[in-house]
Amino acid sequence: TVQLQTRNWQITDAYGREQSVQGIGVVGQQPVLEPGDYFEYTSGAPLQTPSGIMSGSYMMQVKNDNDAQSGDM
């Protein structure tokens, strides 16, 4: 069982301008996921160009464990 703690996104528009977004949870939630569970959400980022790319990671914490694990998404 894990709980989503934080997110870190790097957003780049079509001209190569970058912005970084960090925060607690996603869309106001820090979901707890049991084995086999999944969580979906929709979010957006304002761009000054018609397209761009996003990459980033989530920090997950194993429940009943003080060690947090980070994974690229």
Side-chain angles (χ1 to χ4, degrees):
T1 303
V2 297
Q3 183 175 23
L4 182 115
Q5 297 295 311
T6 61
R7 69 188 184 290
N8 181 8
W9 290 108
Q10 302 301 319
I11 305 162
T12 307
D13 72 12
Y15 295 135
R17 292 179 292 221
E18 296 181 357
Q19 58 181 314
S20 181
V21 176
Q22 300 91 24
I24 295 173
V26 291
V27 294
Q29 299 181 56
Q30 289 181 283
V32 175
L33 303 172
E34 301 287 341
D37 284 352
Y38 65 93
F39 178 80
E40 294 182 33
Y41 72 99
T42 301
S43 184
L47 296 175
Q48 296 178 8
T49 60
S51 63
I53 59 171
M54 292 177 66
S55 64
S57 62
Y58 298 107
M59 179 70 71
M60 307 295 286
Q61 184 170 21
V62 177
K63 297 300 282 179
N64 301 321
D65 189 339
N66 291 327
D67 294 329
Q69 304 286 325
S70 177
D72 291 332
M73 304 306 255

